[in-house]
């Protein structure tokens, strides 16, 4: 028996990278998973791979910027699987065209700000709005919102993205508070840096090393680190956990700012 055997789950943005890893781990642990993505080809690839591995999955195209499309995703899930137990709001507006324009606040264009909130925050809210009645009918359920470490700390880039994810943290606590008595739990996971092959190709070794020296654990993060936390939160093992903002980042957001310099100083003293 898997950790989430018999549960029906939707994972948004499951057609690639972190969402794909989460959907595959949920399926491997016994859930039936709706692979929801605006990238329909990616959704079908992931659903086919889950099915080929012996799991149960349904690919469904969705645009989180469109409430009608969200309502249709929920309706298709209920029509196909009969109920809903788990919603993982993973998708975000992370395309290069968006993130490359999300820079200095003095040059911020309104459409960039709005596009971050339309998908990352409003999309998460609308998925919650349409999913919660079905979670309640099922006797309760688990919503997991993917936020980001940058929702907690200031950065020099991507203020619209950061603010939209900080709003996801607030939405998480409000969802947990509004529906806790109906046994609907809601928590957020905050990844640090999880490099997709495309993202890795865009970074220099020096950039990677600069970030990695602030991670407390001695390796880079991988998508399955996030999938492990998501699967636990989806499972009944986390049945009394709600309203939590959980970093899965190797500790990068949770130490004194001088940590890396101090480590270098100690190393130099011992040399
Ligand atoms: N990768 C990281 O280092 C990192 C760090 C912190 C937080 N996160 C968060 O983790 C989540 C997954 O990140 P990732 O790196 O796998 O991102 P990604 O860009 O690889 O995947 C995002 C997925 O969302 C889908 N998507 C985008 N817009 C959509 C829309 N309008 N409707 C439906 N689907 C849409 C994309 O097609 C894609 O499959 C995101 O919420 C991201 O903000 C990632």
């Amino acid at each position: 028996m898997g950790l989430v055997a018999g549960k029906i789950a939707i994972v948004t943005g499951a057609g690639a990278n972190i969402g794909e890893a989460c959907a595959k781990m949920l399926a491997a642990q016994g859930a039936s998973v709706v692979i929801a993505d605006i990238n329909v080809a990616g959704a079908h690839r992931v659903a086919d791979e889950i099915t080929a591995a012996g799991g149960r999955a349904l690919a469904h195209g969705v645009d989180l910027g469109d409430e009608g499309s969200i309502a249709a995703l929920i309706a298709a899930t209920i029509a196909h699987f009969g109920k809903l137990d788990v919603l993982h709001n993973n998708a975000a507006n992370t395309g290069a065209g968006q993130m490359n324009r999300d820079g200095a606040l003095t040059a911020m264009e309104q459409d960039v700000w709005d596009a971050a909130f339309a998908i990352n925050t409003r999309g998460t809210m609308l998925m919650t709005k349409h999913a919660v009645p079905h979670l309640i009918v099922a006797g309760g359920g688990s919503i997991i919102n993917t936020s980001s470490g940058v929702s907690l700390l200031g950065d020099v880039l991507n203020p619209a993205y950061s603010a939209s994810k900080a709003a996801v943290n607030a939405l998480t606590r409000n969802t947990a508070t509004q529906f806790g008595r109906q046994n609907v739990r809601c928590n957020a996971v905050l990844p640090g840096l999880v490099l997709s092959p495309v993202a890795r190709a865009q970074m220099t070794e020096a950039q990677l090393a600069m970030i990695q020296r602030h991670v407390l654990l001695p390796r880079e993060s991988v998508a399955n680190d996030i999938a492990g936390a998501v699967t636990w939160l989806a499972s009944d093992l986390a049945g009394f956990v709600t309203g939590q903002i959980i970093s899965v980042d190797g500790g990068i957001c949770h130490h004194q700012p001088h940590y890396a310099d101090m480590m270098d100083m100690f190393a130099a003293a011992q040399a």
Side-chain angles (χ1 to χ4, degrees):
M1 288 286 278
L3 281 177
V4 286
K7 294 188 189 292
I8 310 299
I10 296 174
V11 182
T12 66
N17 299 327
I18 293 175
E20 174 177 349
C22 293
K24 286 180 172 174
M25 192 176 287
L26 286 167
Q29 290 295 325
S32 301
V33 187
V34 180
I35 312 298
D37 205 303
I38 201 167
N39 171 6
V40 178
H44 278 283
R45 176 186 60 77
V46 173
D48 288 348
E49 288 176 14
I50 288 173
T51 307
R56 295 216 305 162
L58 173 73
H60 189 95
V62 67
D63 178 3
L64 296 176
D66 173 4
E67 184 168 9
S69 178
I70 287 171
L73 164 64
I74 302 291
T77 302
I78 300 301
H80 192 82
F81 287 122
K83 64 167 185 159
L84 180 64
D85 304 293
V86 175
L87 169 62
H88 179 198
N89 288 309
N90 164 79
N93 193 345
T94 50
Q98 169 71 15
M99 299 303 270
N100 290 344
R101 294 175 63 209
D102 182 9
L105 279 164
T106 45
M108 178 65 68
E109 291 172 272
Q110 203 170 296
D111 66 303
V112 175
W113 186 266
D114 290 348
F117 278 78
I119 305 305
N120 306 355
T121 312
R122 192 185 68 198
T124 299
M125 178 276 293
L126 288 172
M127 284 296 300
T128 302
K129 170 185 170 181
H130 287 272
V132 160
H134 297 284
L135 298 177
I136 292 173
V137 166
S142 175
I143 300 174
I144 302 120
N145 295 329
T146 298
S147 178
S148 170
V150 298
S151 69
L152 303 176
L153 300 168
D155 208 343
V156 290
L157 291 172
N158 306 138
Y161 174 80
S162 302
S164 74
K165 290 293 192 175
V168 167
N169 297 350
L171 178 64
T172 299
R173 294 191 180 102
N174 279 277
T175 305
T177 304
Q178 285 200 0
F179 304 110
R181 289 292 163 93
Q182 284 108 326
N183 202 29
V184 174
R185 299 183 291 109
C186 184
N187 297 283
V189 291
L190 283 60
L193 181 65
V194 183
L195 284 176
S196 67
V198 175
R200 178 179 296 279
Q202 289 166 349
M203 286 188 91
T204 65
E205 284 303 316
Q207 282 174 320
L208 254 181
M210 182 180 67
I211 293 168
Q212 202 59 31
R213 71 193 281 268
H214 296 277
V215 177
L216 301 182
L217 296 175
R219 66 168 172 85
E220 289 181 26
S221 183
V222 294
N224 264 350
D225 294 326
I226 313 306
V230 166
T231 303
W232 174 69
L233 286 168
S235 80
D236 294 343
L237 287 178
F240 210 59
V241 179
T242 196
Q244 301 303 306
I245 308 299
I246 300 172
S247 294
V248 185
D249 65 357
I252 191 170
C253 291
H254 303 279
H255 55 67
Q256 297 289 352
H258 53 256
Y259 158 79
D261 296 329
M262 190 83 95
M263 294 296 276
D264 286 351
M265 198 174 76
F266 288 156
Q270 281 166 4

